[in-house]
Amino acid sequence: MNLIQDDNIDNALSVFRSERQFLEDSQVRIPPKPASFGKGSANAKTEGASSPNKRPNAGIKIYNLIILLVDIVVMLVRWIYFTLESIYLLVVPPKPVDVSKDVVLITGAGHGIGRSLAQQYAALGATVVCVDINDKMNQETVAAIKQQKGNAFGYVCDVTNREQIIEVQKTVKQQVGVVTILVNNAGIMPTHPLFQQTENEIRKTYEINVMAHFWMLQTYLPDMIQKNRGFIVALSSIAGLIGLNNLVPYCGSKYAVRGIMESLAEELRQDPRKPAIRFTSVYPYMVDTGLCKKPKMRFPSLMGLVKPDEAAAAIIDGQRRGLEEVSIPKYLIYLNAFVRCFPGKAANLLRDFLDSGVESDL
């Protein structure tokens, strides 16, 4: 199994490809250095000028075709393997890793999912760094953790302020240590039609829900890469998988979070250093934190509001098991993938049948 999972096959194929490049390069004739000026030099120039028109012989073409076929076969074999592996892991998920030696930083730790995440990580033995713009609520979270004999630190920070984030990072690194699990949780959710959303609301939604991710990643990720160990958890939303009424800016921001995580994971996958950084994108349904002021649902027992503690437990479990994507409830991400195999009009039939979402809070 490791032969397929690791880079062994890629390394073996690179040998074939380098040999192919050597053979191709060998077909290009390099004009010899002229021995003397005059006629001999002119002959050498003429002889060298004709070399670019020379075509690879049949042997090179056959060799290149063999390499292409090998690439295709290897890709298909690995494709099948990884597909079967993912099915197996659905039935037998990987064991959760120990986080007792980790420093976990959580934004928006003063209330809701953030507070539940902080308390549950602390209960697992992790050192928790609580970050929030509201100092009073943030300190309440820290106090609750310490009351349960947990280890927690609190810092006031506006996650839309890049300079403030950098200053807090320096303090955290000095007082607590290098952050090894970063949970970008902070977010806001204005819920009314687009034309009734003010410029300030839209800008603030993107500053907190999107831009803050960039500043946090640029600030904390370098130390993780240097340490060659780290986890990035980002709170997207079901609204980052499907568009919803009264949530146009919010949906756009959560789709952006999904794109940031996916593209950053790919960027680091292609990094020659091969940093051991894991990514988990989280897509919660409506969580009972107060952001959803007027939820609507046709089947409350099937798609009711999720409790913050339940959401936090699912997020931590997904991170500890190394899952790339987690939806809450779990089935929603698979339902979304299935529905997207059908025409948009068919998907709208299911939307209308479920009749779930949020009403305008105006």
Side-chain angles (χ1 to χ4, degrees):
M1 291 176 69
N2 289 333
L3 291 175
I4 298 179
Q5 282 185 309
D6 299 332
D7 293 332
N8 297 319
I9 292 180
D10 291 331
N11 292 336
L13 288 176
S14 67
V15 174
F16 284 101
R17 296 188 184 106
S18 61
E19 290 293 336
R20 175 181 64 188
Q21 187 63 45
F22 172 77
L23 289 174
E24 289 174 344
D25 292 343
S26 68
Q27 299 303 306
V28 180
R29 296 184 60 186
I30 301 175
K33 182 178 180 181
S36 60
F37 296 99
K39 185 177 180 181
S41 177
N43 290 340
K45 188 180 294 183
T46 303
E47 186 177 327
S50 64
S51 61
N53 295 327
K54 186 168 183 179
R55 298 179 179 177
N57 60 35
I60 296 299
K61 291 182 179 180
I62 294 173
Y63 185 84
N64 289 344
L65 178 60
I66 292 173
I67 292 298
L68 177 61
L69 292 174
V70 170
D71 281 346
I72 292 172
V73 170
V74 170
M75 180 190 71
L76 291 175
V77 169
R78 298 176 81 180
W79 185 298
I80 294 170
Y81 169 81
F82 290 132
T83 301
L84 294 175
E85 179 190 49
S86 66
I87 294 173
Y88 172 78
L89 291 176
L90 283 176
V91 181
V92 186
K95 294 182 179 179
V97 299
D98 178 27
V99 294
S100 61
K101 296 181 180 180
D102 282 289
V103 175
V104 185
L105 187 145
I106 303 165
T107 63
H111 68 288
I113 297 177
R115 175 172 289 184
S116 295
L117 284 168
Q119 292 174 328
Q120 292 185 32
Y121 267 119
L124 291 169
T127 299
V128 179
V129 177
C130 300
V131 172
D132 203 294
I133 195 171
N134 188 314
D135 185 42
K136 181 177 181 296
M137 297 179 71
N138 200 43
Q139 290 305 323
E140 288 174 358
T141 301
V142 172
I145 291 173
K146 289 183 176 180
Q147 189 175 6
Q148 297 298 320
K149 309 301 181 183
N151 194 18
F153 299 81
Y155 298 90
V156 177
C157 183
D158 178 359
V159 293
T160 68
N161 188 320
R162 188 172 187 271
E163 289 72 24
Q164 208 173 111
I165 289 173
I166 293 172
E167 288 304 313
V168 169
Q169 186 268 346
K170 292 177 181 178
T171 305
V172 169
K173 187 174 181 179
Q174 182 180 19
Q175 296 180 352
V176 185
V178 174
V179 171
T180 52
I181 301 177
L182 172 63
V183 184
N184 283 319
N185 163 72
I188 61 172
M189 189 177 71
T191 55
H192 33 272
L194 176 62
F195 295 124
Q196 294 177 340
Q197 300 241 5
T198 66
E199 177 185 355
N200 182 60
E201 282 179 322
I202 295 173
R203 290 187 181 276
K204 193 173 180 181
T205 297
Y206 275 80
E207 286 290 335
I208 297 175
N209 293 8
V210 180
M211 301 308 296
H213 286 257
F214 289 115
W215 312 146
M216 296 295 291
L217 289 168
Q218 286 185 336
T219 303
Y220 288 94
L221 191 54
D223 279 343
M224 292 184 186
I225 293 175
Q226 185 176 11
K227 196 179 180 70
N228 198 33
R229 181 174 183 273
F231 295 84
I232 305 294
V233 180
L235 271 289
S236 180
S237 168
I238 290 300
L241 297 175
I242 58 174
L244 295 170
N245 188 36
N246 294 319
L247 291 174
V248 175
Y250 181 78
C251 286
S253 70
K254 291 305 181 178
Y255 266 85
V257 170
R258 181 184 178 189
I260 291 168
M261 290 289 281
E262 187 172 324
S263 55
L264 180 58
E266 175 62 14
E267 189 168 293
L268 291 188
R269 187 181 73 87
Q270 296 193 28
D271 191 313
R273 296 170 294 179
K274 303 296 182 185
I277 310 297
R278 306 294 295 271
F279 296 85
T280 300
S281 297
V282 184
Y283 308 102
Y285 182 61
M286 293 182 288
V287 183
D288 190 12
T289 61
L291 289 180
C292 292
K293 296 179 176 63
K294 293 185 178 180
K296 67 171 183 175
M297 54 202 72
R298 183 178 180 183
F299 305 103
S301 59
L302 179 65
M303 301 181 70
L305 289 179
V306 178
K307 297 296 182 184
D309 287 346
E310 295 175 7
I315 293 166
I316 294 173
D317 183 71
Q319 177 267 307
R320 294 179 65 201
R321 295 182 190 275
L323 303 182
E324 294 178 359
E325 294 184 309
V326 176
S327 68
I328 308 165
K330 187 176 182 179
Y331 69 85
L332 286 180
I333 196 168
Y334 304 109
L335 177 62
N336 176 67
F338 175 75
V339 171
R340 287 190 178 275
C341 295
F342 296 89
K345 290 182 179 180
N348 287 338
L349 293 175
L350 181 60
R351 287 175 184 246
D352 294 341
F353 174 74
L354 294 175
D355 191 24
S356 176
V358 294
E359 295 179 349
S360 174
D361 56 3
L362 295 179

